[in-house]
Amino acid sequence: MSLSFTVPNLACSSCVKAVTQAIQTIDSTAQVNADSKTKQVNVTTIATETVIKQAIIDAGYTVA
């Protein structure tokens, strides 16, 4: 499943790393492409959108 999220407070490479790790904790095989410039997080995963969105939120980030 391919998912896209806008994460307004994705500000730097540390944020990208934190979000990537949070998602991969849920699905270790997930492919995550996060861009702090565009504030976009694209995920290819077997997990549901709700679960991935919650992982991002639990990592301390807002999902728009």
Side-chain angles (χ1 to χ4, degrees):
M1 177 182 322
S2 186
L3 305 170
S4 293
F5 303 97
T6 300
V7 182
N9 56 338
L10 190 69
C12 62
S13 61
S14 293
C15 298
V16 167
K17 185 176 181 180
V19 167
T20 300
Q21 288 177 338
I23 292 168
Q24 289 179 334
T25 297
I26 302 300
D27 174 7
S28 62
T29 65
Q31 293 183 320
V32 182
N33 182 6
D35 187 333
S36 60
K37 291 178 184 161
T38 63
K39 313 296 185 194
Q40 292 296 306
V41 177
N42 299 305
V43 184
T44 302
T45 181
I46 57 172
T48 66
E49 179 175 359
T50 303
V51 170
I52 297 298
K53 184 176 181 179
Q54 191 60 52
I56 297 169
I57 292 168
D58 290 347
Y61 297 89
T62 305
V63 178

